[in-house]
Amino acid sequence: MPTSLVEVDVVRQWRDGVPGAVAVFDGESGPDLAAAAEPFDVDIAVLQAVGASSSAGDVRALPLPSGGVGWVVGVGSGEPVKWRSAGAALARALRARLDQAAESDDEVGDLGDASDADYLQIRLPDDVDGEAVSALTLGLALGGYRFRVTVKPTPPRLRKVLLVAPEGADVAALGEQVRRTRELAAATALARDLANAPSNIKDPAWFTGVAAELAADVPDLTAVVRDEKWLADNGFGGILAVGGGSSRPPRLLELTYRPKDVEGPHLVLIGKGITFDTGGISIKPAEGMHLMRTDMSGGAAVIGALLTIARLELPVRVTGLVPSAENHVSGSAYRPGDIVRHYGGTTTEVGNTDAEGRMVLADALAYAVDRLEPDLLVDVATLTGAMKVALGLRTGGLFATDGELADRVREAGQRVGEAWWRMPLLEDHAEDVKGRLADVKQTPPGPGGITAALFLREFTGGLPWAHLDIAGPARADKDYAEVVSGGTGFAARSLVALAASFSN
């Protein structure tokens, strides 16, 4: 960890002996097979025989007259989203071919010379632009991702892709676009690694410790991990309550990125870091509980984003907070009916110990307001099943007190291929959050995603704030586009793009 990503370079010339791929576009009366056949010096009939099409992500292998294999992949009419699907599909196809060769003990198979078996070159069209190159790079980098803990040797993988630019293209500019996109992909891949890691290893100390170790190698980025004694001394009652049922105590990670000579807004990102969630005394059903190893996906997105923001040297001040705990069942677990005092003194009446995410986020939000002097707050969490019902598994829920911030988040997601839908903060339910025995209720009645957001708003100090509920898109049960089954790393790229929007 982190998972190695394919290298991508932009070059000027097509290279003999390296497996190549060409895009198939929509033509006037069907797929333009003639343009795709020309670089391989084969007849259109060969493409027709293998079923080549312009459908985005449709990959076909071609037997070549010179031996070896070429690839054609559909990109439809060439929008960036189609290129992202095409890149991911190519990465998966090459991985499958390499796996097949390894399993048959045939190191070369029909991939060409052994030294090039893990290489691919892709011919870019004459009208290619930076958006298309970024989308293709993102798909190539993430589409072939996999995470396995196994005794078997590391499987072969696609190591390098050469994007062959058309004549007259600005190779340096396209190369910089590729470099920045690979950093975005690295944020997503690390978030996936952390989410997929099994919880017998991934306790709060390990989770926050790995982040701190990675941050130590990045200029202008510092990490501090606070332990349970510090949390108790400073009144973090929400984190301590949630973590109290586990033998593995909670932690608070603080990542600070302070580039030199930079003014402007201070953005604080807060991610839920529940390394495993049994539901506590309000225990979850056994079916599907194993997926709760990914309940720290919001924290993973914040960690991946901070590392990438710093590596890209974005001229903006950003702090990341990840309150991390394991929500377990034991004699020391917190109970429904308890009253918990958060950082800063606000008290919460506990209604359901499975609503633990808002408990730890409340502490972190209150701490940020009191100690970090933020200009904007953004939290991200796998918070409510209600958002999965409302928006499904591919779109994140966006709540915000500030219209401009909401627009920035949504536009940031559009730039990096992550979809957000703004949800209402209905004032009709604001009074429901007020407590009878305490200041606020943890689980007020009403629409679950909205009332959870209204609960968190109580701890934001009136600052511009956005709440990102990723309960749906943080996990996937099948591959699509650049997403693979398991932890998806959703939101990491959006957070980087959001920070970049304040650096212009």
Side-chain angles (χ1 to χ4, degrees):
M1 187 181 296
T3 291
S4 298
L5 299 181
V6 61
E7 295 180 35
V8 182
D9 288 337
V10 181
V11 298
R12 296 185 182 277
Q13 293 185 329
W14 187 264
R15 303 186 182 186
D16 294 334
V18 177
V22 174
V24 180
F25 288 87
D26 290 332
E28 292 184 2
S29 57
D32 187 356
L33 299 182
E38 186 271 331
F40 293 122
D41 194 24
V42 298
D43 193 82
I44 292 176
V46 177
L47 275 70
Q48 292 172 330
V50 299
S53 80
S54 59
S55 178
D58 181 51
V59 177
R60 305 289 168 160
L62 297 177
L64 300 181
S66 58
V69 67
W71 302 87
V72 290
V73 56
V75 295
S77 54
E79 305 98 321
V81 66
K82 308 292 188 182
W83 279 105
R84 193 167 76 247
S85 292
L90 273 171
R92 291 186 186 115
L94 266 292
R95 186 184 73 185
R97 186 60 65 96
L98 288 164
D99 286 348
Q100 183 181 21
E103 289 173 3
S104 65
D105 293 325
D106 182 356
E107 294 183 357
V108 181
D110 57 0
L111 285 171
D113 183 79
S115 63
D116 294 323
D118 52 3
Y119 271 54
L120 180 71
Q121 58 183 335
I122 302 173
R123 187 182 294 273
L124 299 176
D126 290 342
D127 60 350
V128 72
D129 60 17
E131 284 190 35
V133 167
S134 289
L136 175 60
T137 301
L138 198 64
L140 288 165
L142 294 175
Y145 171 93
R146 64 176 146 196
F147 183 97
R148 289 194 69 198
V149 180
T150 175
V151 70
K152 295 181 180 179
T154 301
R157 67 179 182 87
L158 181 62
R159 295 184 180 277
K160 189 159 190 173
V161 175
L162 305 176
L163 304 182
V164 184
E167 185 176 351
D170 188 337
V171 172
L174 292 177
E176 177 60 16
Q177 196 86 7
V178 164
R179 183 189 75 83
R180 296 179 72 85
T181 302
R182 282 192 78 253
E183 290 291 354
L184 287 173
T188 299
L190 175 61
R192 289 179 182 180
D193 289 340
L194 293 169
N196 288 325
S199 294
N200 58 321
I201 295 171
K202 181 178 58 187
D203 64 4
W206 182 92
F207 179 46
T208 56
V210 165
E213 288 179 15
L214 293 172
D217 296 327
V218 182
D220 296 325
L221 184 63
T222 59
V224 178
V225 177
R226 272 69 180 250
D227 64 13
E228 68 275 25
K229 183 180 184 304
W230 186 93
L231 293 171
D233 290 343
N234 288 273
F236 284 76
I239 300 174
L240 291 166
V242 173
S246 174
S247 62
R248 307 194 291 182
R251 295 287 186 269
L252 175 65
L253 170 69
E254 183 169 341
L255 293 167
T256 303
Y257 173 61
R258 292 291 182 276
K260 298 177 178 63
D261 302 322
V262 168
E263 298 181 357
H266 176 202
L267 174 62
V268 175
L269 307 176
I270 301 171
K272 172 185 170 183
I274 301 300
T275 55
F276 194 78
D277 182 19
T278 68
I281 287 177
S282 308
I283 197 163
K284 293 178 179 292
E287 183 180 358
M289 193 190 289
H290 64 286
L291 298 174
M292 291 301 101
R293 66 179 178 270
T294 68
D295 207 23
M296 32 53 65
S297 293
V302 168
I303 291 167
L306 260 292
L307 289 165
T308 289
I309 288 166
R311 283 195 294 257
L312 289 174
E313 300 179 343
L314 297 182
V316 59
R317 296 183 298 155
V318 186
T319 301
L321 296 176
V322 180
S324 183
E326 190 172 63
N327 190 22
H328 246 297
V329 185
S330 76
S332 58
Y334 79 129
R335 294 157 292 266
D338 283 0
I339 294 178
V340 171
R341 188 177 298 277
H342 294 280
Y343 179 92
T346 298
T347 56
T348 289
E349 182 179 341
V350 176
N352 185 326
T353 63
D354 194 24
E356 84 298 330
R358 66 197 72 181
M359 299 293 289
V360 302
L361 291 174
D363 275 359
L365 285 164
Y367 170 77
V369 171
D370 182 53
R371 298 283 292 274
L372 301 182
E373 299 182 348
D375 296 292
L376 306 106
L377 296 166
V378 178
D379 74 74
V380 54
T382 49
L383 205 67
T384 67
M387 279 298 97
K388 295 173 68 173
V389 174
L391 298 176
L393 303 182
R394 302 191 182 188
T395 303
L398 163 62
F399 298 82
T401 57
D402 182 89
E404 181 186 352
L405 178 56
D407 290 342
R408 282 182 181 268
V409 172
R410 193 166 46 215
E411 291 165 7
Q414 289 175 348
R415 288 195 295 275
V416 297
E418 294 180 337
W420 299 97
W421 189 268
R422 189 173 183 184
M423 302 293 292
L425 284 166
L426 297 175
E427 292 301 326
D428 288 345
H429 293 283
E431 192 62 28
D432 295 335
V433 177
K434 303 303 182 183
R436 184 174 66 87
L437 302 177
D439 294 318
V440 290
K441 290 180 183 176
Q442 178 207 35
T443 52
I450 293 172
T451 55
L454 289 168
F455 173 88
L456 292 175
R457 189 178 66 172
E458 296 291 315
F459 298 87
T460 61
L463 291 169
W465 160 74
H467 162 57
L468 311 182
D469 192 332
I470 61 170
R475 293 183 290 271
D477 56 7
K478 62 181 179 180
D479 298 350
Y480 62 91
E482 83 286 0
V483 175
V484 300
S485 61
T488 64
F490 190 89
R493 301 197 302 271
S494 291
L495 295 178
V496 177
L498 175 65
S501 75
F502 291 105
S503 65
N504 296 330

